[in-house]
Amino acid sequence: MQMRLATNDDADLIVAMSARVQAKLIASVSLQEFGPIPRSVVAAHVGAGTAHVLTDQRQLVGSVFLEPDYAPVTPQLERIFTNVRVPPALRPRWWLQKLMVTPDRQGHGLGAIILEDCKRQVAARGGGVIVLDCWVGNLKLRAFYQQAGFQLHTESAVEEGDVAVFTWESPALSP
């Protein structure tokens, strides 16, 4: 397994994987809306160096966007942090979004590999707090994030529905 920055060659594969992940969510009668991620969004993250992929023998098996608040790709990032009450004092703040594992490889620990790599990246860049969210009703995903060391920060109503917001603070920032 290898985590690396996504390249332009990965963009269409990330979009296609997000469509497969959404199809699986629909098939499981989940209300969570995940994808497909528009290619323009993926391309913006690839260009900014915030898209990361997990590969297994060169096959794309997972992906995530990890975006710092000091170089946002998502135009409304500061509004997101304000709405979920993540104080500016916890800087840098990192927005982890669109973490996905291809459906045929889910349940085999690959999501944990992706999260651990994100934690290492933040710690290596001097620390900070990683913020992520999920649909409030997705109890399995909430348990996964808590097992990975993320703390429930708040539950919040946003345009897309109710979300549970989790944070993980880099040890580099802990007293």
Side-chain angles (χ1 to χ4, degrees), residues 32 34 63-64 96-100 111-112 114-116 119 130-135 138-152 164-168:
Q32 187 164 343
F34 185 89
S63 179
V64 68
L96 188 150
Q97 58 182 315
K98 300 300 185 183
L99 186 151
M100 63 180 146
I114 294 170
L115 283 179
E116 287 305 312
K119 290 176 183 179
I130 298 175
V131 181
L132 59 84
D133 70 347
C134 68
W135 175 56
N138 191 334
L139 301 180
K140 184 175 179 182
L141 190 54
R142 291 175 65 150
F144 167 72
Y145 290 139
Q146 288 177 314
Q147 185 178 11
F150 285 76
Q151 304 268 328
L152 179 63
V165 179
F166 292 85
T167 58
W168 177 84

Side-chain angles (χ1 to χ4, degrees), residues 16-31:
M17 183 172 35
S18 73
R20 291 192 309 276
V21 168
Q22 182 63 54
K24 183 175 180 181
L25 287 167
I26 290 169
S28 70
V29 194
S30 171
L31 298 176

Side-chain angles (χ1 to χ4, degrees), residues 10 25 27 37 73 81 90 108 110 112 122 135 149 159:
D10 297 316
L25 287 167
I37 305 169
V73 177
F81 286 138
L90 292 176
H108 298 283
L110 302 184
V122 168
W135 175 56
E159 292 174 19

Side-chain angles (χ1 to χ4, degrees), residues 81-100:
F81 286 138
T82 300
N83 287 346
V84 298
R85 297 179 298 284
V86 177
L90 292 176
R91 288 203 178 208
R93 297 168 298 177
W94 298 79
W95 181 240
L96 188 150
Q97 58 182 315
K98 300 300 185 183
L99 186 151
M100 63 180 146

Side-chain angles (χ1 to χ4, degrees), residues 53-72:
V53 293
L54 177 63
T55 59
D56 184 11
Q57 300 179 15
R58 297 189 182 181
Q59 179 184 5
L60 186 74
V61 295
S63 179
V64 68
F65 300 152
L66 183 62
E67 176 179 2
D69 68 351
Y70 57 81

